[in-house]
Amino acid sequence: MDKRSLCLLLICINLCLVIWLVSVQQSPMLEAEIITDSSGSGSSSGSGSISSTPQPPNSANGLRRSRSKPNQIYQPSRTPSNNDSSSLVSNTFDNHLGTPPSLASQTPSPPGSSMHLMDLPNFVYLIDQPACDKDVRVLILVHSAVKNVEKRRLIRETWANRSYIDQTPLRVIFLVGGVGPNSEEWQQFLGRENHMHGDLIQGNFRDAYRNMTYKHVMALKWFNEKCEHAQLLVKVDDDVFMNTPQLVKYLATPDLPENSMLQDPDLMLCRVVRHSRVKRSYRSKWRVTYKEYPHRFYPEYCPGMAIVYGPDVVRRLYEAAQKSKYFWVDDVLITGILAEETASKITPMKYYLESKDVYNLLNGDADLEDPPFLFTNHAIKPDESMAIWQMALDRIQRPLLTHPAYSSPSAASKSAQIVPSAIISEAAQTSSTALS
Ligand SMILES: *[C@@H]1O[C@H](CO)[C@@H](O)[C@H](O)[C@H]1NC(C)=O
Ligand SMILES: *[C@@H]1O[C@H](CO)[C@@H](O)[C@H](O)[C@H]1NC(C)=O
Ligand SMILES: *[C@@H]1O[C@H](CO)[C@@H](O)[C@H](O)[C@H]1NC(C)=O
């Protein structure tokens, strides 16, 4: 054999090896080895210290994690502390496969069953919630990272406060992923948090920056399977302030144009991004390789911080996502690429509360409803969030104080804590005219 053919043979063997490697190892798994930031989520800005809530010691970081099998980051315990979630998880299995979680996570399920999430064959909810009851009209799913305890606390104190939300047709749930290995304390912590508030859903994919797409598709899935009768799904990040009273007002006021807009089952409402150039710089945290996305520009898409979906869009996007190749930029994939594929159109949102508007509002130079907004921009500060919520609450409660049912002082002070549902829609209907 001469030198030339030996060379050719070697090249051939190498090529085969590369092809085999590429086909055996799915691309997200390759990425997974590079990025091991365990605290990452869409909202990574200013995480703040965790103080008041009981918390586990610092968990081991991603770099030291053992080489676990893909998709099996956490085995559901047979004796979880929260019996609600355990019964729900096993119910899921009883309904679909009749196998306990520990067995099921070893046998791959057929595609199309509810046990896969995109390319994850053994998807389960480690913490789950009961399905929506029929009065829920809007499901708000807040993307959070496991360790964003303070952000969840702030949201529960402000715009998702139960004493308010439970009187409205809204429901708020936080979505998290799995804690890595060596983070049992965090898992227990989440169990306690959920026991206290009953508002967490946890998927068994690892909570990581490059896994955000799983979380987003999990949101679509959960809505589809447990809340499909609702009028809207809202997806927000945990550092956004959502003006829930404004949404309640839109729902309760038939003559507002927003009321009919929000009834469109094909709605996809957000602050649309156009002509966004794909980041290729090696220094960028957002760097996307040509293999991940080959074009120069992204299609029109909705930034993930705040998106309002109608139920038909959710169904279409979920079905398309289940068949789609994994791409870690979740908002681009779901509201851009898959939306285009399923002919789902974006409705641009008119008003957003920008930083300067927050400033003006808190200085008394602007009115809460002029213009009315549903969401603030990213990364609102906790004190700003508190202040805006207080303004929104005052707005709801002012008409109450003059309402005949609240003429006695004791009743009026009571109303500051719990707002009767009958009054809310009434307040919503009068607030724009009576209060300006
Ligand atoms: C556990 O389940 C039982 C029956 O399903 C229920 O009565 C009880 O309140 C639950 N306990 C907790 C801590 O959720
Ligand atoms: C909801 O608001 C009430 C009254 O402002 C407050 O006492 C309560 O702690 C809040 N709930 C949560 C979960 O923070
Ligand atoms: C994403 O989740 C999968 C499944 O749990 C896991 O194997 C992978 O390592 C995760 N990716 C990152 C970047 O952590």
Side-chain angles (χ1 to χ4, degrees):
M1 212 187 264
D2 66 341
K3 253 186 175 174
R4 226 182 102 117
S5 52
L6 193 73
C7 245
L8 269 172
L9 191 73
L10 271 177
I11 287 170
C12 266
I13 289 170
N14 267 325
L15 257 175
C16 290
L17 203 71
V18 165
I19 290 168
W20 178 77
L21 271 177
V22 165
S23 65
V24 161
Q25 304 205 351
Q26 287 300 303
S27 51
M29 300 307 163
L30 286 172
E31 294 292 339
E33 297 304 314
I34 302 160
I35 310 284
T36 48
D37 173 14
S38 62
S39 64
S41 94
S43 31
S44 49
S45 50
S47 65
S49 66
I50 299 161
S51 52
S52 56
T53 355
Q55 56 144 331
N58 249 348
S59 51
N61 69 24
L63 295 172
R64 284 201 287 115
R65 77 203 161 92
S66 56
R67 287 191 150 262
S68 56
K69 281 184 236 163
N71 314 335
Q72 294 192 358
I73 44 108
Y74 176 80
Q75 291 289 341
S77 155
R78 277 160 198 274
T79 54
S81 56
N82 184 336
N83 72 1
D84 277 322
S85 60
S86 69
S87 67
L88 280 161
V89 167
S90 39
N91 272 348
T92 312
F93 281 91
D94 290 345
N95 292 345
H96 295 291
L97 280 180
T99 40
S102 49
L103 276 179
S105 55
Q106 262 125 51
T107 33
S109 55
S113 92
S114 68
M115 292 218 12
H116 83 114
L117 190 74
M118 304 187 76
D119 57 356
L120 301 180
N122 301 315
F123 172 75
V124 287
Y125 298 109
L126 301 177
I127 299 175
D128 200 357
Q129 296 302 323
C132 292
D133 60 41
K134 58 183 187 323
D135 346 303
V136 174
R137 288 177 67 190
V138 181
L139 177 66
I140 301 166
L141 295 179
V142 185
H143 278 215
S144 190
V146 169
K147 297 183 184 178
N148 287 358
V149 180
E150 279 300 299
K151 288 180 178 173
R152 291 194 290 276
R153 192 183 57 78
L154 181 68
I155 290 173
R156 289 188 188 108
E157 265 175 27
T158 56
W159 58 266
N161 189 302
R162 288 295 275 273
S163 12
Y164 172 69
I165 291 291
D166 287 353
Q167 314 290 328
T168 71
L170 315 185
R171 185 177 184 195
V172 182
I173 296 175
F174 295 91
L175 304 184
V176 294
V179 302
N182 312 320
S183 308
E184 276 303 305
E185 301 97 329
W186 273 104
Q187 190 57 34
Q188 283 162 16
F189 178 83
L190 289 175
R192 286 198 299 274
E193 185 181 338
N194 184 55
H195 188 70
M196 210 140 101
H197 301 285
D199 61 1
L200 292 183
I201 291 177
Q202 184 186 29
N204 69 340
F205 51 85
R206 173 132 186 219
D207 205 318
Y209 193 63
R210 298 240 167 177
N211 271 350
M212 283 192 298
T213 299
Y214 291 130
K215 209 178 272 180
H216 202 146
V217 178
M218 177 171 85
L220 304 177
K221 179 184 175 71
W222 203 89
F223 179 88
N224 245 339
E225 289 170 0
K226 303 277 193 79
C227 209
E228 79 284 5
H229 67 274
Q231 182 180 332
L232 296 167
L233 165 66
V234 176
K235 188 257 145 173
V236 281
D237 282 346
D238 62 2
D239 52 2
V240 168
F241 180 93
M242 178 173 176
N243 193 350
T244 42
Q246 186 65 46
L247 180 61
V248 170
K249 179 178 167 180
Y250 288 150
L251 296 176
T253 320
D255 34 305
L256 288 174
E258 287 85 357
N259 183 283
S260 45
M261 176 179 77
L262 295 176
Q263 287 184 38
D264 179 3
D266 274 319
L267 182 72
M268 180 161 54
L269 177 73
C270 69
R271 180 159 74 173
V272 58
V273 171
R274 298 192 172 98
H275 314 298
S276 166
R277 208 182 169 121
V278 181
K279 308 260 187 317
R280 304 291 190 191
S281 154
Y282 281 87
R283 280 166 302 166
S284 174
K285 171 182 174 189
W286 294 98
R287 187 177 115 80
V288 167
T289 63
Y290 286 92
K291 193 175 154 235
E292 288 170 327
Y293 187 79
H295 310 293
R296 235 153 68 94
F297 291 91
Y298 289 129
E300 240 177 57
Y301 74 95
C302 287
M305 58 195 251
I307 308 166
V308 181
Y309 290 110
D312 288 1
V313 185
V314 177
R315 193 170 324 113
R316 284 201 302 270
L317 292 178
Y318 172 63
E319 278 160 12
Q322 285 287 55
K323 286 180 244 153
S324 155
K325 179 169 167 272
Y326 191 87
F327 178 41
W328 61 275
V329 188
D330 66 309
D331 43 11
V332 166
L333 176 68
I334 292 163
T335 67
I337 298 166
L338 299 179
E340 214 167 48
E341 218 177 280
T342 58
S344 309
K345 293 253 164 358
I346 297 173
T347 305
M349 198 178 291
K350 263 192 262 169
Y351 309 117
Y352 250 85
L353 206 67
E354 303 288 354
S355 315
K356 66 169 187 344
D357 305 321
V358 173
Y359 181 85
N360 288 339
L361 189 60
L362 298 182
N363 278 291
D365 297 337
D367 187 86
L368 193 63
E369 296 205 48
D370 186 26
F373 68 95
L374 281 179
F375 305 101
T376 60
N377 56 345
H378 241 298
I380 184 164
K381 297 191 193 83
D383 54 330
E384 294 172 338
S385 195
M386 289 293 229
I388 297 173
W389 177 243
Q390 206 48 57
M391 290 175 91
L393 264 193
D394 287 351
R395 193 55 66 98
I396 300 163
Q397 284 161 7
R398 241 186 297 167
L400 292 182
L401 301 179
T402 54
H403 193 277
Y406 287 90
S407 49
S408 84
S410 65
S413 66
K414 226 177 179 174
S415 76
Q417 245 130 64
I418 293 171
V419 187
S421 52
I423 312 292
I424 284 178
S425 54
E426 198 177 318
Q429 281 175 12
T430 51
S431 59
S432 67
T433 45
L435 292 170
S436 42

